[in-house]
Amino acid sequence: LHQLFILCKSYQTSNIDFSIVHPLLKSTVTTINKLSAERTGEMLKNLLAALPPNIWDDSLSDCSFMFQNHRIKGGQHQRTEAESTCHTFLANLTRDLQARFSESKDAITMTAMTAIFDPAHASDSKNRHIQTVTDYLSSLSDESDKDDFEMS
């Protein structure tokens, strides 16, 4: 999946720009959900094009075929199992991606930290980014410590 590759590569760089991670995540999840709903993935298209006629007919004695050096057994039960496995995999993948990376507050905080610590990524006022990080840090502490985080 090309979109997942792009998301992963955004983390595999020495100068990561966290301001693009959240949009990439949203795009990746949207793409995965679209592929799941429409069944339009490239590998699925290739598999469906290679299917022999009547592959899902359980009455045939040998309903299997070769696809990319793999023997695939046909039949309605196998089809149901394959569809269920694919659906579960894609649902788990999108759920895990969202659980790990989709908190918009996390994305905003990481973007602010990127702008503060790497001026090359700062496209606007540092004051807003400093306030974002201050708000985040103060949310982690007791109410009595909040004044210690105020920056002038």
Side-chain angles (χ1 to χ4, degrees):
L1 180 63
H2 185 69
Q3 193 67 31
L4 193 56
F5 168 78
I6 293 170
L7 178 64
C8 291
K9 288 302 265 182
S10 73
Y11 282 96
Q12 299 172 4
T13 179
S14 60
N15 58 351
I16 187 169
D17 181 357
F18 286 100
S19 65
I20 65 168
V21 171
H22 193 65
L24 281 174
L25 171 73
K26 287 170 52 176
S27 175
T28 301
V29 169
T30 300
T31 301
I32 291 169
N33 288 337
K34 181 180 178 186
L35 288 173
S36 178
E38 298 176 4
R39 300 176 181 189
T40 56
E42 193 63 34
M43 293 303 290
L44 181 59
K45 285 181 190 176
N46 293 342
L47 174 64
L48 294 175
L51 289 176
N54 302 324
I55 190 63
W56 306 122
D57 187 355
D58 286 326
S59 66
L60 298 175
S61 59
D62 180 26
C63 53
S64 65
F65 69 103
M66 294 297 293
F67 179 72
Q68 296 182 351
N69 296 323
H70 298 281
R71 177 155 300 282
I72 298 179
K73 187 175 179 184
Q76 192 58 43
H77 177 74
Q78 284 74 15
R79 178 182 181 160
T80 302
E81 286 289 319
E83 288 175 349
S84 174
T85 300
C86 288
H87 178 73
T88 301
F89 171 78
L90 293 174
N92 288 341
L93 178 61
T94 56
R95 186 193 71 232
D96 288 349
L97 285 171
Q98 289 174 326
R100 293 172 195 254
F101 304 111
S102 72
E103 285 294 322
S104 62
K105 288 184 179 181
D106 290 346
I108 291 168
T109 302
M110 294 304 288
T111 299
M113 293 178 83
T114 299
I116 291 169
F117 296 114
D118 187 356
H121 291 288
S123 60
D124 52 5
S125 172
K126 276 199 177 187
N127 290 336
R128 183 174 61 85
H129 297 302
I130 290 171
Q131 188 59 50
T132 298
V133 173
T134 300
D135 292 345
Y136 170 74
L137 293 173
S138 66
S139 73
L140 300 176
S141 66
D142 293 334
E143 193 67 35
S144 61
D145 295 334
K146 288 195 178 191
D147 290 337
D148 294 340
F149 289 110
E150 291 301 315
M151 303 181 92
S152 52

